[in-house]
Amino acid sequence: MVDALGAVIHQNTIYEATVPVALYVAAILNHPATERGDLGQDTAPALHYPTRAALLEWLSNTAYDANDECVAVGERIWGDGYLDEYPEMRAFRDLRPAIYSAVHPLLGHVTANVREAALVAAIPLAEHPVLAPQQGELADHARSLLTTSTDRRKRDRVLEAMEVWGHDISGLENADDVAAREFHARRIAERWTGGYVEDAPF
C-alpha cells in the first residue's frame, strides 16, 4: 500500500485524488494493522519500522508539497491567484486541521520511528492558522527529537521549524547540523553565482 501512494503525489504534485487518499491515510493511522511492518524477520528490534511510520512520512511529504513556502513560490511564478487555479492544493491545505488531529496522538508513541515521523508530519500541517497554538507543544517534541535522533532529514526539518517559530537554535545544533546548514547556504549562494559546490560534508 505504501509504495502505491507515490503515484498520488508524483513529482511533488497535489492531484484530485490526493485529498481523499490523505484523509483515508489519516483515518487508518491508529489501526492495529499499521503497527506491523518490520524490515525483515531477522531485523534487529531497533530497526523495527512500522507501516504507520511510512504512512506518516507520506503525509509529511504531501504536507510539505502544499506548505506556505510552496504557495509563495507558486505565487511568485503564477501570481496571487495561484491557489485559485490549483484547487487540489487549496483543498489539502484546508483539511490540514483534520489531518493534524489524526497525527497528534502519535507524537507520544512508544516507538521512536513513529513519534519522530509524526512530529515531522505535524510541522507543515501546523502552518494552518488555527493550529498556530500547537507550535509550543511541537517545539517541546522537537527538542526531544534533537537529543536522540541522528536522522539528517528529520533534524533539518525540526531545526528549520524551530527557527521559523522564533526559537534560538544555536544550543540545539550539533556539529553535523552546523555543517549541513553552512553547506546549504553555500549551495544557494553558488546557485546564484554559477559556481561549484563540493559534496556535502556528511
Side-chain angles (χ1 to χ4, degrees):
M1 174 184 176
V2 175
D3 292 339
L5 292 173
V8 187
I9 54 167
H10 182 60
Q11 295 183 338
N12 308 106
T13 301
I14 306 296
Y15 295 103
E16 184 177 354
T18 305
V19 171
V21 170
L23 290 174
Y24 176 78
V25 168
I28 65 171
L29 281 176
N30 282 292
H31 192 283
T34 67
E35 188 61 35
R36 298 192 293 271
D38 287 321
L39 295 179
Q41 292 182 352
D42 298 327
T43 301
L47 296 179
H48 174 68
Y49 205 81
T51 298
R52 185 174 294 159
L55 293 174
L56 283 164
E57 289 189 357
W58 181 85
L59 283 174
S60 170
N61 291 335
T62 306
Y64 274 105
D65 287 338
N67 70 357
D68 291 349
E69 182 180 359
C70 288
V71 172
V73 170
E75 288 179 342
R76 284 199 298 271
I77 297 173
W78 305 106
D80 293 340
Y82 174 68
L83 282 179
D84 293 333
E85 301 297 326
Y86 200 167
E88 297 85 2
M89 181 182 283
R90 180 185 291 279
F92 181 88
R93 287 169 60 82
D94 289 345
L95 287 169
R96 285 176 293 176
I99 298 171
Y100 183 91
S101 68
V103 171
H104 181 267
L106 300 175
L107 291 171
H109 196 274
V110 66
T111 304
N113 284 326
V114 172
R115 64 174 177 268
E116 291 176 359
L119 174 60
V120 177
I123 287 171
L125 295 170
E127 288 183 345
H128 193 286
V130 305
L131 296 174
Q134 301 296 321
Q135 292 174 0
E137 179 188 356
L138 294 179
D140 291 337
H141 287 289
R143 292 187 184 92
S144 178
L145 180 148
L146 290 169
T147 63
T148 58
S149 177
T150 59
D151 185 288
R152 177 77 271 138
R153 176 179 173 275
K154 291 175 182 176
R155 293 185 68 87
D156 286 346
R157 293 293 197 191
V158 165
L159 286 166
E160 180 184 24
M162 292 286 283
E163 193 167 27
V164 168
W165 296 337
H167 297 273
D168 181 5
I169 65 170
S170 59
L172 300 173
E173 293 180 301
N174 60 30
D176 288 341
D177 297 328
V178 174
R181 174 167 50 78
E182 291 177 348
F183 172 79
H184 181 66
R186 290 197 303 273
R187 185 172 62 179
I188 292 175
E190 293 290 345
R191 184 182 303 163
W192 287 104
T193 60
Y196 170 78
V197 180
E198 70 277 14
D199 291 336
F202 43 82

